[in-house]
Amino acid sequence: MMDLIRNVARKIDQGERLSDEDALALFNSNELVEIGRLADGVNRAKNKDLVFYNVNRHINPTNICALSCKFCAYSRKPGEEGAYAYSIEEMVTKAGEAVAQGATEVHMVGGLHPRWKFEHYKDMIAAVKQAFPHVHIKAFTAVELDWLARRARKTIEEILRELQAVGLGSLPGGGAEIFHPEIRDTICDTKVSAEQWLNTHRIAHNLGMHSNCTMLYGHIENYAHRVDHMRRLRELQDETGGFNAFIPLSFQPFQNEMGINNYTFGYDDLKTLAIARLYLDNFRHVKAYWIMLGQEVAQLGLEFGANDLDGTVIEEKISRMAGGRAGMAMSRNFIEHLILKSRRIPCERDTLYRPIKQPELRPKTEPSSNLRQAINKCDYGELLTIEDLQLLADQASLHEVGRLAAAVCGQAVTAGEGSFAPTTVLKLAEVSSVEDALSTLDAVAERNCSKFKLAASTIAIDLAPSTAPAAGESAASLGLDALLAIATNCRERFPTQEVAVWGTKGLWRLAQSQQISVAKLAERLAAAGVQSFGSSPDESETDLTNQEITELHSLMHAAGIPTIAKVELTAPTYGPSEPQWSAFLRRVRALADLQARTGKVVGIEVTASPGSFITTSEYFRAIALARLGSQGIPMVIAPLTMIPTLSQPKGLGTASYQHPAEKIASVCLHFGAADLGSIDMQKLSPISIMEQIRAAGFKPTLRASNQQQPSLEVYSAIEQGLRHAPSLGL
Ligand code: SF4
């Protein structure tokens, strides 16, 4: 595969255009970081460090539509529940609200209203333009224009000229979907054909109007259909040069007639952005449309060739009704924050990509000799110092640290595999006695088994205080004897599964309350059959010192119990500062040193401390640096349930499970992580985790927490409908 990357790199260097076969081969390749690095190089050559966004508002005038495209969750028939149609006055009011917030663009697309005449649409544009003459109106897809032309019995050129005369500035790129008839005839056979769509944009370009173009992917099309779609766009761009931006639209899977209920995975989104950037050499702009990708993938998209994040949007109904999870608005500050944290320069633009204010570009700097030395050390497998790691944190590109970390990861664990631990979790603070604990465990284990046809690989007893309102205070309230009795019984009841205890602070608390040393406690846990120890997902450890953490883990190791340690990146305001990166790296290094002494640190889990302000690019950098700084430790873990996500209002870095983490978790496997952590089978389906890992190009494997190598491929067992995975001996 590296031959492919080398060949593509050579073509780019020589200014040679990529062929359809090249694009297809890139889609079929698993070299995500390398493809991203090439796309980033092409993007920087075109746009330097600039990332564009605009302050805009989407207004969808109506969802009443004469057509019934199979993938559409937005349209309604007249009189149907949820149908709406804004009056022209309402449209003007909504545009006015946006203008008051500084919008320079109004974006209007909607359904094909069976009773609205062409004059109504013209009046709509004219009214908004008259009220706000300085605002650019981008409106009507080629599908809407075709409908209007037919209703008015005019040609596309005639209606475009009339709309242009009353204020239409440019066309959005919707309605393109997938051009290839094999797909188009299935998902939207009543829509304009590919040729009609392209011809409408050709006519607009010839009238001096610019437009965007889109591609709806992630449904029933294959990679060849995507390449075919992009080729047709590239050809038209060669002819007219009228496209502003290419916008890949990831399929939103709710309420459609196609029976697809999966979101695209981040791996596919990022690869599609990057290949578009490489293939569409005559486009200046590729947009990471956050409304559909989510903020996490959109920000990462800036590393994969995208140079535009769209805009503030404010109200968008089309993808929202189809299951869009990203919210409907992002503030200017938030957009700029995402761009700055990906180490690029935000540039507010108008619709035609003219900067509202001229941005200050940074002078291009060559990497320092110290950074080159640190990179060389990685390449030669030498031990990195804290100073080397800090340099990589401060100065290296995300691709560079990702590339280096993935290489180390491949040496540490079986390359090409991504593991996780399906787990039955017992919160000790939520049970009232040993009997209650055991019957709860039996019931949960049985339920998990019958639901997923798969036994958990790990039984975890979590010592963190309860999060359930009516439950007990902490593990200490039930006592050590109860914990030991539960562990012993677990060993007997679940002989082929690993028994783990979770909770660093819980263990200190327990030792204190029982007035015994942690060393003694560790010995008693080992004697009761506890086989591994890890952090609780419900407790932050940032207030513990490196010394306290290493001491606790080394005492467990001395008792013969392997451990997984959590490392939290902290940044209460606007991303980690240099000292916060330094603290993170020192914690990683302290664990690596412990591993050199005991050999019993199985893995480190990378997460953000609760309430931290950490963006997705920073989290990916943390994963890669943890891998580079922890030579000797088998696994760096991106725990799916603790990956920081961005969608909550104050959710930057909240260490709680958010759905969008699914989109990016398996991408971490390309940046040095080998494992997605313990998955509580009561909360998440192991089958969906396997699908995520597979979708990122890795072979999904199960592990128990104390095993250094992923242990079991269970797909075939599940597919055969076996009650238990046979290799687990159940
Ligand atoms: S995709 Fe557009 S044209 Fe098709 S049904 Fe939905 S609103 Fe109507």
Side-chain angles (χ1 to χ4, degrees):
M1 270 303 173
M2 286 311 281
D3 284 350
L4 167 69
I5 300 295
R6 267 193 290 274
N7 183 40
V8 169
R10 179 193 57 74
K11 284 191 170 182
I12 291 165
D13 279 350
Q14 295 174 356
E16 202 179 314
R17 177 166 265 192
L18 296 197
S19 66
D20 290 10
E21 291 71 31
D22 293 329
L24 200 54
L26 289 170
F27 269 118
N28 284 314
S29 146
N30 192 27
E31 302 290 343
L32 180 69
V33 174
E34 289 299 323
I35 296 171
R37 190 176 60 78
L38 291 176
D40 186 47
V42 169
N43 176 36
R44 284 184 194 265
K46 285 181 189 287
N47 296 299
K48 305 197 166 52
D49 288 336
L50 291 184
V51 175
F52 293 100
Y53 72 94
N54 69 346
V55 180
N56 65 345
R57 170 155 192 163
H58 286 210
I59 310 177
N60 307 125
T62 180
N63 63 348
I64 297 173
C65 187
L67 301 191
S68 305
C69 301
K70 283 203 175 64
F71 61 84
C72 183
Y74 168 72
S75 69
R76 297 287 184 276
K77 295 299 168 206
E80 192 182 338
E81 195 186 339
Y84 75 89
Y86 293 144
S87 67
I88 289 179
E89 292 70 35
E90 284 173 309
M91 297 288 291
V92 173
T93 304
K94 283 177 184 294
E97 288 163 6
V99 170
Q101 292 175 38
T104 57
E105 171 192 290
V106 172
H107 170 115
M108 292 184 206
V109 295
L112 314 181
H113 198 297
R115 284 199 293 275
W116 284 356
K117 298 210 164 90
F118 174 55
E119 278 61 37
H120 180 84
Y121 287 89
K122 231 166 80 176
D123 291 347
M124 195 191 289
I125 299 288
V128 173
K129 193 68 185 176
Q130 267 167 22
F132 312 106
H134 65 285
V135 165
H136 183 106
I137 301 177
K138 171 158 60 97
F140 308 137
T141 64
V143 181
E144 289 169 282
L145 292 168
D146 170 71
W147 172 255
L148 298 183
R150 284 191 284 132
R151 300 239 338 131
R153 296 179 193 277
K154 294 183 179 183
T155 64
I156 295 283
E157 182 172 338
E158 283 167 344
I159 60 158
L160 274 175
R161 281 187 188 282
E162 289 185 41
L163 289 167
Q164 199 178 18
V166 295
L168 180 67
S170 63
L171 304 189
E177 324 311 359
I178 286 284
F179 289 143
H180 199 289
E182 273 170 19
I183 303 302
R184 202 169 187 81
D185 290 351
T186 305
I187 65 172
C188 54
D189 57 347
T190 49
K191 240 178 199 174
V192 291
S193 66
E195 290 68 31
Q196 285 170 304
W197 190 99
L198 289 162
N199 199 40
T200 298
H201 282 255
R202 179 181 287 111
I203 294 166
H205 296 171
N206 289 338
L207 291 175
M209 267 191 259
H210 282 80
S211 69
N212 288 334
C213 52
T214 59
M215 173 175 78
L216 184 73
Y217 67 94
H219 41 90
I220 57 168
E221 87 295 352
N222 62 30
Y223 292 149
H225 297 128
R226 295 189 200 180
V227 175
D228 172 81
H229 188 94
M230 290 196 288
R231 183 181 38 71
R232 297 182 200 222
L233 292 172
R234 188 168 78 172
E235 283 169 3
L236 182 57
Q237 182 75 332
D238 277 343
E239 186 186 321
T240 66
F243 286 125
N244 278 332
F246 174 66
I247 313 165
L249 302 176
S250 63
F251 184 68
Q252 307 294 302
F254 279 13
Q255 297 181 39
N256 60 75
E257 283 181 32
M258 290 159 66
I260 300 172
N261 50 19
N262 293 324
Y263 289 92
T264 54
F265 289 117
Y267 175 75
D268 194 14
D269 300 325
L270 295 171
K271 213 200 257 189
T272 303
L273 279 169
I275 295 169
R277 178 62 289 165
L278 294 170
Y279 181 83
L280 297 173
D281 58 345
N282 51 2
F283 281 65
R284 177 157 173 213
H285 307 292
V286 172
K287 188 183 286 188
Y289 187 48
W290 65 266
I291 283 275
M292 286 184 167
L293 295 174
Q295 289 87 342
E296 297 81 6
V297 177
Q299 191 203 23
L300 283 178
L302 304 181
E303 305 284 344
F304 285 78
N307 68 309
D308 187 337
L309 275 185
D310 199 76
T312 48
V313 176
I314 300 177
E315 176 183 299
E316 198 278 349
K317 291 177 184 276
I318 296 174
S319 66
R320 190 76 177 170
M321 290 170 85
R325 304 177 292 195
M328 292 205 287
M330 268 213 288
S331 70
R332 187 198 303 250
N333 282 351
F334 193 88
I335 293 176
E336 293 208 349
H337 179 71
L338 293 184
I339 296 168
L340 288 167
K341 289 300 163 184
S342 67
R343 302 184 179 187
R344 283 148 215 267
I345 300 165
C347 179
E348 186 187 336
R349 61 165 173 86
D350 67 9
T351 308
L352 303 177
Y353 285 84
R354 293 172 300 210
I356 301 293
K357 196 173 118 214
Q358 211 55 43
E360 274 183 41
L361 290 173
R362 299 185 203 110
K364 192 170 173 355
T365 51
E366 291 301 319
S368 70
S369 60
N370 288 346
L371 177 63
R372 277 201 301 273
Q373 259 176 19
I375 292 170
N376 286 343
K377 276 186 179 179
C378 291
D379 279 332
Y380 290 111
E382 291 175 31
L383 198 66
L384 298 178
T385 63
I386 283 284
E387 291 70 33
D388 294 329
L389 290 166
Q390 190 79 53
L391 269 173
L392 290 165
D394 295 343
Q395 295 180 16
S397 72
L398 185 56
H399 300 108
E400 192 68 86
V401 289
R403 174 186 77 79
L404 297 169
V408 173
C409 181
Q411 293 146 19
V413 294
T414 311
E417 292 189 353
S419 58
F420 69 103
T423 304
T424 299
V425 181
L426 175 79
K427 288 283 275 188
L428 201 63
E430 292 175 8
V431 291
S432 56
S433 64
V434 174
E435 293 68 36
D436 183 22
L438 295 175
S439 64
T440 303
L441 266 174
D442 281 343
V444 171
E446 176 60 31
R447 214 171 31 240
N448 288 344
C449 260
S450 59
K451 190 165 169 193
F452 299 115
K453 314 282 184 280
L454 171 69
S457 63
T458 304
I459 308 286
I461 308 167
D462 188 348
L463 306 184
S466 171
T467 44
E473 275 294 291
S474 71
S477 64
L478 201 60
L480 177 59
D481 288 342
L483 171 61
L484 297 175
I486 293 166
T488 308
N489 271 282
C490 280
R491 279 259 42 83
E492 286 162 9
R493 277 176 150 82
F494 308 103
T496 57
Q497 296 172 54
E498 176 191 297
V499 177
V501 166
W502 287 352
T504 307
K505 288 178 172 176
L507 208 71
W508 292 118
R509 276 194 300 269
L510 192 59
Q512 258 176 2
S513 72
Q514 303 290 315
Q515 298 184 329
I516 65 168
S517 67
V518 174
K520 196 82 200 149
L521 180 53
E523 282 170 20
R524 294 190 64 186
L525 289 174
V530 172
Q531 295 160 295
S532 79
F533 174 78
S535 304
S536 168
D538 290 332
E539 277 193 332
S540 170
E541 294 176 5
T542 35
D543 51 341
L544 300 177
T545 63
N546 282 349
Q547 200 183 350
E548 285 168 324
I549 293 211
T550 19
E551 187 191 335
L552 185 135
H553 282 264
S554 84
L555 291 171
M556 298 305 269
H557 297 173
I561 300 178
T563 61
I564 288 178
K566 178 156 72 176
V567 182
E568 293 172 74
L569 183 58
T570 303
T573 47
Y574 299 105
S577 60
E578 202 176 306
Q580 285 156 345
W581 275 116
S582 174
F584 173 83
L585 295 170
R586 283 178 198 286
R587 187 154 287 193
V588 169
R589 180 38 57 84
L591 291 163
D593 291 344
L594 174 64
Q595 173 71 346
R597 294 199 301 277
T598 68
K600 283 198 171 349
V601 184
V602 177
I604 50 178
E605 292 178 320
V606 178
T607 184
S609 60
S612 282
F613 222 64
I614 289 164
T615 67
T616 310
S617 322
E618 289 163 319
Y619 179 69
F620 272 59
R621 184 174 290 272
I623 289 278
L625 289 168
R627 180 61 284 173
L628 293 172
S630 64
Q631 286 102 324
I633 296 179
M635 287 186 303
V636 167
I637 299 168
L640 179 65
T641 52
M642 291 187 271
I643 290 177
T645 57
L646 299 167
S647 302
Q648 295 274 314
K650 71 175 197 73
L652 287 170
T654 45
S656 61
Y657 175 69
Q658 299 292 329
H659 206 48
E662 276 184 11
K663 270 187 97 76
I664 52 171
S666 53
V667 182
C668 295
L669 300 172
H670 288 273
F671 285 79
D675 185 276
L676 299 188
S678 293
I679 300 298
D680 182 347
M681 290 167 74
Q682 290 181 81
K683 296 183 180 158
L684 284 173
S685 153
I687 295 165
S688 83
I689 312 298
M690 286 186 214
E691 279 166 4
Q692 286 177 54
I693 293 170
R694 257 199 183 167
F698 289 81
K699 179 178 159 191
T701 59
L702 300 192
R703 66 161 171 85
S705 307
N706 66 353
Q707 286 173 329
Q708 299 194 359
Q709 292 292 324
S711 59
L712 179 65
E713 223 285 63
V714 293
Y715 248 92
S716 58
I718 289 173
E719 279 157 11
Q720 287 161 31
L722 299 180
R723 182 175 164 74
H724 304 299
S727 313
L728 282 172
L730 295 171

